[in-house]
Amino acid sequence: MLLHMSPSAAGGVCVYAVIGLWVVAALSNTASALLALLPRKSRAPSRPARRDVEFVIVSKASSRVLGALEETIRRVRSLFPEYKLWVIVDEGSEGIPVLRALSASPGAGFQLVVVPGWYERGAYKARALNYFIEEHVREDRWYVLLDDDSYPLDRRFLHELDEGEALVYSGVLAPRRGRSLLAWLADATRFYGDVTRSRFALRRLGKPIFGLHGDFLVVHGSVLKAIGFNTDSLAEDTWFAARLIERGVRVAQSSSLVSILSPGSVVDLWRQRGRWNVGVLRDIVKGRYPATLAFFKGLEALLWLTAPLLYFGVPLLARGGLHLLPPAARLPLALGGVLALLAYTLYPTLTMGLQGLLLSLAALPLTTLVEALSTLYSAVKLRELLSGFIVIDKSLSPAGGSLEAGHPAPTTPALYPPLHARPLGDLPRLPPLGLTSNPSSTAKPG
């Protein structure tokens, strides 16, 4: 239809379509944020911590992530010493020699699983998970699925697993700064999304209509066995959310905070965002999502695609172009703008106080520009993003290194004081595992 219009008419239709997209997004975000604030139903008294729980870390174990993997293993061992820990890597990964030696040593605290090269069920991270499910998962246990840079900051979720009829639990992501301050400020929106949209969807509806985070998922073994991860999706966590919705599996959000490491550079942030959104759009085109999930994840991806227009259009509207907006769109877009401001400032304010608020406000033009440019970067790198699993740099310092290199423990926002555990910074400091102490030891695959 647009082909038969004049250029000016076609341009007008496109502009109004984009404005309509932003209005729908603003209204849905406003509604979910307000509904998330409603009082939560009374909770059952605290139960003893579940003991039938095992922790699972999936990693590419490349030189770019070994520092983060070491930190995650040490943190899980410190906070959950009585629970079994699995580390899953692909055959041929750089870190296998040292991981294999460590896992065999007394007191290592984890068991290494190497996914053989001949295994073909699933792709990328999903392939590793599917192999673990087929070989090691039991239907009568719970499994905490982690990335190589994510770990819980408290034990509260262990006391919540008996609540209701949920068989899958998500958490609240709390980004910790990597090597890039700007990437950390951009990552702050993930915390906001968890305490608004995800909280509404998981605590009120029990359905992951906005997707799930693969950084932290607590899943009952019966669900893992029934669904698995036999998929070639680039967004395996959203693919898994789709299967949960289709099967009517109830999902809940734990009150536990989960520390995640922000990308080490702006380029790595672009690669991460690009992989997520390209993966989601690819799955939607292939018809892999039910209608509700396809709508909200598609809306999110389309907002990402139009981010450059939004970034460069706001200054024009502020300079007297407000009359270009339809009157009915002005209030929703204003609300959307306020929520976007809150999304970028809430987490830095909770973690750093007034300094965090001022810092996030001062950096807002750059932070939003970085988000807008991720779309353009992905257009240039589309073939690379579609080619397979993307490994971003998760070094903890410019020279790599481990937690002992002077990086403080992440700060828990005051809004969520630990209930069942000491603050993370008070945990006993274990000796370095040695994953990054000798770079040459991980230079070649085993």
Side-chain angles (χ1 to χ4, degrees):
M1 182 177 176
L2 290 177
L3 295 177
H4 302 290
M5 293 182 178
S6 66
S8 59
V13 170
C14 291
V15 168
Y16 278 102
V18 171
I19 291 174
L21 171 71
W22 295 342
V23 168
V24 171
L27 290 175
S28 65
N29 288 338
T30 302
S32 59
L34 292 175
L35 290 170
L37 295 175
L38 293 175
R40 190 180 181 184
K41 65 180 182 180
S42 59
R43 301 175 61 180
S46 179
R47 297 178 172 86
R50 298 284 304 218
R51 300 304 298 267
D52 54 343
V53 178
E54 299 180 10
F55 289 77
V56 182
I57 300 172
V58 182
S59 177
K60 292 297 287 184
S62 69
S63 58
R64 305 185 77 191
V65 303
L66 283 178
L69 175 59
E70 174 180 355
E71 179 183 4
T72 298
I73 293 173
R74 292 177 56 246
R75 292 299 184 183
V76 173
R77 287 197 317 169
S78 295
L79 193 52
F80 309 96
E82 71 272 38
Y83 293 91
K84 188 169 187 176
L85 171 62
W86 302 83
V87 177
I88 311 173
V89 299
D90 287 329
E91 184 178 20
S93 298
E94 290 177 285
I96 284 181
V98 68
L99 282 169
R100 182 169 283 147
L102 282 170
S103 66
S105 63
F110 71 93
Q111 184 169 336
L112 182 66
V113 175
V114 178
V115 182
W118 53 260
Y119 186 76
E120 296 181 348
R121 291 173 60 81
Y124 322 122
K125 178 183 175 182
R127 172 177 171 271
L129 283 170
N130 206 65
Y131 178 79
F132 176 78
I133 291 169
E134 291 183 353
E135 297 294 324
H136 299 285
V137 165
R138 291 169 44 184
E139 293 191 3
D140 60 345
R141 300 187 69 80
W142 291 84
Y143 294 86
V144 183
L145 307 182
L146 303 170
D147 281 346
D148 50 23
D149 67 316
S150 60
Y151 47 81
L153 289 169
D154 57 69
R155 296 169 61 97
R156 282 176 288 184
F157 67 93
L158 294 173
H159 299 257
E160 297 170 345
L161 295 183
D162 281 328
E163 293 185 11
E165 299 177 354
L167 293 175
V168 179
Y169 288 79
S170 184
V172 178
L173 300 186
R176 66 188 185 277
R177 179 182 167 185
R179 299 190 301 169
S180 170
L181 175 61
L182 200 55
W184 177 75
L185 290 170
D187 235 12
T189 56
R190 302 185 72 186
F191 173 84
Y192 171 82
D194 279 346
V195 298
T196 54
R197 297 190 313 156
S198 292
R199 176 154 299 175
F200 161 69
L202 302 182
R203 290 190 178 179
R204 295 289 168 185
L205 305 179
K207 297 181 179 181
I209 59 173
F210 298 111
L212 289 170
H213 298 306
D215 311 80
F216 175 84
L217 279 179
V218 186
V219 189
H220 197 263
S222 61
V223 175
L224 289 174
K225 282 290 191 181
I227 297 178
F229 274 91
N230 185 13
T231 176
D232 64 349
S233 174
L234 295 169
E236 71 287 329
D237 45 5
T238 307
W239 177 91
F240 188 67
R243 307 289 79 76
L244 294 173
I245 293 174
E246 289 174 347
R247 290 172 177 258
V249 178
R250 186 168 182 82
V251 183
Q253 186 188 63
S254 167
S255 55
S256 283
L257 278 174
V258 181
S259 180
I260 60 170
L261 182 64
S262 294
S265 68
V266 168
V267 172
D268 277 324
L269 180 76
W270 288 344
R271 298 175 79 219
Q272 182 190 67
R273 299 293 197 266
R275 178 177 176 269
W276 291 345
N277 288 288
V278 168
V280 165
L281 288 171
R282 178 175 175 239
D283 284 352
I284 291 175
V285 170
K286 291 188 174 186
R288 291 175 170 177
Y289 298 165
T292 51
L293 183 64
F295 174 78
F296 287 112
K297 294 302 291 186
L299 181 64
E300 185 179 303
L302 289 174
L303 285 174
W304 171 75
L305 285 174
T306 60
L309 296 177
L310 181 62
Y311 180 84
F312 294 107
V314 167
L316 294 177
L317 294 176
R319 292 193 174 191
L322 195 60
H323 66 280
L324 298 176
L325 286 178
R330 294 174 188 175
L331 179 59
L333 290 181
L335 289 173
V338 171
L339 291 180
L341 181 65
L342 186 61
Y344 282 104
T345 58
L346 177 62
Y347 183 71
T349 303
L350 289 175
T351 53
M352 300 173 62
L354 180 60
Q355 179 184 3
L357 174 62
L358 297 177
L359 176 64
S360 57
L361 286 173
L364 193 60
L366 281 177
T367 308
T368 50
L369 177 61
V370 164
E371 294 276 21
L373 292 179
S374 71
T375 307
L376 304 179
Y377 175 87
S378 298
V380 174
K381 298 289 186 177
L382 183 60
R383 180 172 296 181
E384 176 187 342
L385 295 173
L386 288 172
S387 66
F389 189 74
I390 301 295
V391 180
I392 66 172
D393 190 357
K394 297 177 183 177
S395 302
L396 302 181
S397 69
S402 68
L403 191 67
E404 302 299 333
H407 294 266
T411 303
T412 302
L415 186 63
Y416 292 89
L419 298 181
H420 298 293
R422 294 165 290 174
L424 191 63
D426 295 337
L427 293 173
R429 297 180 68 81
L430 299 178
L433 299 178
L435 298 186
T436 55
S437 58
N438 182 9
S440 62
S441 66
T442 59
K444 297 180 181 180

